[in-house]
Amino acid sequence: MVENWDVIIVGAGTAGIPAAIFAGQRGAKVLLLDAADKIGGTLHLTTGQMSAAGTALQKKLGINDNPKDHFDDVMRISENTADRDLVKLAVDNAADTFDWLMNNGFTPLKNHPVLGNAHEPYSERRYYWGPYAGISILEAMSPLLDEQIASGQVVISLKTKLKNLILNNKKIIGIDIEAEDGTKATIKGKNVILSTGGYSSNPELFRELSGPKLYWKGAYPYSRGEGLTLAKKIGGVLRGGENYLCGYGAILKSFNYPTEITTRVISHPHIRLPWEIHVNIKGERFFQEDYDSVHIREKKLLEQKNLMSWVIFDEEINKKSPALLKDFSKEDTNSFFSNHPMFYIADDLGDLARKSGVEEEGLKKTISEYNYSIENNKPDPFGRIHRPLKIEKPPFYAICTHGVSITSTVGLTVNSQLNVIDAKKEPINNLFAAGEILGSGQTMGKCSAGGMMLTPALTFGKLLGQKLLSW
Ligand SMILES: Cc1cc2nc3c(=O)[nH]c(=O)nc-3n(C[C@H](O)[C@H](O)[C@H](O)COP(=O)(O)OP(=O)(O)OC[C@H]3O[C@@H](n4cnc5c(N)ncnc54)[C@H](O)[C@@H]3O)c2cc1C
């Protein structure tokens, strides 16, 4: 058994796997631990959308792109809230990461790259994902990791949890671990990489760090923020809470949070123009429903109580409009009104308000103003153009939606070498971090910039293994 590992990597997920592969290829003796019984972490769940500029695939397709434009796009979309140094480090090295995956069998979908669609689009086609989402990425990396394991450079220990970081004279010298059967051990290492992911499977920590309740139970079960908490205990500094943002329009299965998502309301006007109105708990509209900016919608939602909004319509709209819910037909949608806690139907607006929890007076006033402006051909106060029908024919319908997020905004502060730093901005020697443990608030800022969690996770893990560590 190795007495003093060159590199101990805690977390065999998106960031940890490339770190292990590249450190192993460079001749390091690597111990790769994971609390789960398999490698992969969030790659088992993620949509797998990456962004990279200047890739070989773009060149082949004649797309003239470069990291500077990628950087400018992320800073534009995030309204300069992302961490410039980390974004630059990620985008400058993203093409290498993407090309490396492609050289090892990763194949994106046929029409890729694209501009984006669920998030605010990029100004150039630099957004890619594979047919099996995160698994397409894992499948490209696994054989490379297997090679390192076979050659003895990397040793994997699954069902093994990090329990403590051992600090000696401002330097990490090892870690305490605990196996699933309760066996404890202390391991020495010259470098420790924390790639334990986020905290979005830990409702208490989510509430403490991100702010709102954890509504959605959809993150990797081991994303409990343990690495983050342990690093904080020895002087690591957390940051980014002000950048919390959530996705729009999730229909949760129940009010027993955290819970699963049944589906989402299609709120992207380029996919489906709105026939309904969206209101907050006061019954007031709060954004222009037909304005095609995901980012603006998401930011407006942040100002609404409990991140909740209700989609309101009447029988005529129900009959004439295209299907409103992602992956569900109109028939399916209508069946939810008899058996789903987020769907309400009533013969008058007062009853609809009482059933759905929206303020009655506000709802009635909003609908009357909306109808009046259509009837009299007056401009909409929010600037909405697409107003095909008034809301006037019973029965009336309401669907309750929540703003949800499954990623972790807050993360550890690192320097440009990905070395964890303390409150005095001094490095905690030998302690490095990569992946969601750095917080989405850094690599995306207060926005959802396409691929800007996965790409940095893979890229930072790769860079640590490839060149940032020494032993
Ligand atoms: C449903 C979903 C969709 C997403 N879609 C996208 C997308 O399309 N594009 C994008 O950019 N981002 C996306 N993200 C975010 C992105 O996938 C993640 O931020 C990224 O994969 C996290 O990588 P990671 O290496 O930090 O963590 P992970 O891949 O989760 O790896 C962390 C590993 O650490 C292990 N671990 C945790 N605690 C301990 C401990 N105490 N001891 C030992 N091991 C531990 C875990 O078991 C896990 O294997 C999505 C996330 C989700 C959940």
Side-chain angles (χ1 to χ4, degrees), residues 10-16 33-36 38-43 45-50 127 160-162 195-198 216 218-220 222-224 226-227 230 406-407 434-437 449-457:
V10 190
T14 315
L33 318 167
D34 204 289
K38 61 183 178 205
I39 66 160
T42 302
L43 288 174
L45 302 177
T46 177
T47 324
Q49 299 174 327
M50 295 173 278
Y127 200 28
T160 307
K161 258 193 183 191
L162 169 72
S195 47
T196 45
W216 183 11
Y220 195 56
Y222 293 89
S223 298
R224 297 192 48 81
E226 287 166 0
L230 291 171
I406 207 171
T407 51
E436 201 170 319
I437 194 169
M452 282 306 288
M453 295 196 69
L454 208 46
T455 317

Side-chain angles (χ1 to χ4, degrees), residues 13-29:
T14 315
I17 294 173
I21 293 169
F22 281 92
Q25 286 176 355
R26 261 173 81 207
K29 285 285 178 193

Side-chain angles (χ1 to χ4, degrees), residues 157-185:
S157 182
L158 296 174
K159 300 187 193 174
T160 307
K161 258 193 183 191
L162 169 72
K163 296 302 278 186
N164 186 36
L165 294 161
I166 307 170
L167 186 69
N168 187 346
N169 231 344
K170 289 196 75 183
K171 187 162 123 185
I172 292 293
I173 54 165
I175 60 172
D176 293 325
I177 55 169
E178 186 175 329
E180 205 180 46
D181 64 6
T183 316
K184 295 186 170 94

Side-chain angles (χ1 to χ4, degrees), residues 339-416:
N339 62 22
H340 195 294
M342 303 292 158
F343 291 71
Y344 315 93
I345 181 168
D347 283 332
D348 65 75
L349 286 174
D351 203 19
L352 189 74
R354 281 186 292 279
K355 282 181 175 172
S356 62
V358 174
E359 285 178 23
E360 180 176 344
E361 207 177 310
L363 183 66
K364 284 181 170 167
K365 184 166 177 272
T366 298
I367 291 180
S368 134
E369 285 169 1
Y370 181 73
N371 289 347
Y372 177 85
S373 68
I374 296 177
E375 214 165 84
N376 295 285
N377 207 14
K378 298 262 185 222
D380 179 77
F382 292 89
R384 177 168 164 173
I385 311 287
H386 189 257
R387 296 177 295 172
L389 287 172
K390 291 188 280 179
I391 298 172
E392 59 183 356
K393 298 218 170 90
F396 296 99
Y397 300 85
I399 304 175
C400 173
T401 77
H402 288 72
V404 295
S405 82
I406 207 171
T407 51
S408 308
T409 314
V410 172
L412 284 176
T413 313
V414 288
N415 62 20
S416 57

Side-chain angles (χ1 to χ4, degrees), residues 128-142:
Y128 331 65
W129 56 97
Y132 309 109
I135 298 299
S136 296
I137 301 170
L138 184 57
E139 282 176 353
M141 297 198 295
S142 289

